[in-house]
Structure formats: structure tokens, C-alpha cells
Amino acid sequence: MPRETHTIDATDKPLGRLAVEVAILLRGKQRPDFVLYKDMGDSVVIKNMKKIRITGKKLEQKIYRHHTGYLGNLKKIPMKDIFAKNPGEVFKKAVWGMLPKNKLRAKQIKRLKIV
């Protein structure tokens, strides 16, 4: 089966619920011939990412952390800073965490386009 392209409008949709929907489409779980170990998902295009709804106090309280590998270099960036610069990055991080942690994840996330 050929890959389809799904266009989704993010206006007023909760971040997590939309991320779940996109992760399912990227993996291809909606297809009748779905197999866990194959990359058979579709492409997804997201529009109006600035108008997405972030529920609760996540914008103020959620912190993204990463470690550089050097002693004492744990970097902390609040969600509101990342969302102000690039709202698509917050969404991509949410979908990234929902995809399987194996070699397919990098291939699948490349089919996510944020306009």
C-alpha cells in the first residue's frame, strides 16, 4: 500500500491528544496490514501549531532536561521558552516520546512536517 499524507489542523486541540493521533498515523497502526517491525506509516502535515491548546499548568511548570555529558552540565529549559521560539518543537518532542524506542523512530519522525 502506498503512503498517504494526512493534513491536520491543530487549532484548539490539546497537545497530548493530537500527539497520540499523529504517533498512530506515523507508525501505521490504522492500516489493516500493520506489522510492528516494519516502517509502514503515513506522512503527517500539521497546520496552525501556534493555536494548539496546552492544558493545565504545563506551560509554566514543565521543564525539558538534557545532559551534555560533562560533570554538572544538566541543562534545563522551561516549556514556555521553547514554545515561544518554536511551537513545533514542543509537539515534535511529545510525538518523539510516543514512538517506539528503536531504529524505526528516527525514520518515522522524519515524516512529520509542521507548517
Side-chain angles (χ1 to χ4, degrees):
M1 292 176 71
R3 295 187 196 271
E4 297 177 19
T5 301
H6 301 273
T7 304
I8 299 174
D9 184 20
T11 304
D12 235 16
K13 290 187 179 177
L15 174 71
R17 304 227 175 183
L18 184 61
V20 169
E21 186 181 329
V22 169
I24 289 170
L25 291 172
L26 289 174
R27 285 192 70 193
K29 289 191 84 170
Q30 77 283 5
R31 294 172 171 261
D33 59 343
F34 171 72
V35 185
L36 283 172
Y37 55 86
K38 288 187 180 176
D39 184 19
M40 53 183 10
D42 296 335
S43 298
V44 180
V45 178
I46 306 290
K47 293 183 177 180
N48 297 323
M49 186 52 65
K50 288 188 177 188
K51 297 178 184 176
I52 198 163
R53 189 171 51 165
I54 297 176
T55 57
K57 297 180 180 179
K58 284 191 277 295
L59 210 54
E60 293 85 29
Q61 293 179 351
K62 186 166 179 64
I63 297 173
Y64 292 104
R65 298 172 181 88
H66 76 277
H67 201 281
T68 63
Y70 289 94
L71 291 173
N73 275 345
L74 178 67
K75 303 294 182 185
K76 299 177 183 178
I77 304 169
M79 184 184 204
K80 64 180 174 184
D81 293 349
I82 296 176
F83 191 78
K85 286 184 190 174
N86 186 4
E89 188 64 29
V90 172
F91 184 73
K92 195 172 275 193
K93 283 178 182 281
V95 174
W96 177 261
M98 294 179 186
L99 292 174
K101 280 70 175 175
N102 58 27
K103 293 179 181 182
L104 295 177
R105 177 160 67 166
K107 292 179 186 176
Q108 291 170 347
I109 200 73
K110 286 179 183 174
R111 289 196 308 273
L112 174 64
K113 304 290 180 214
I114 300 170
V115 182

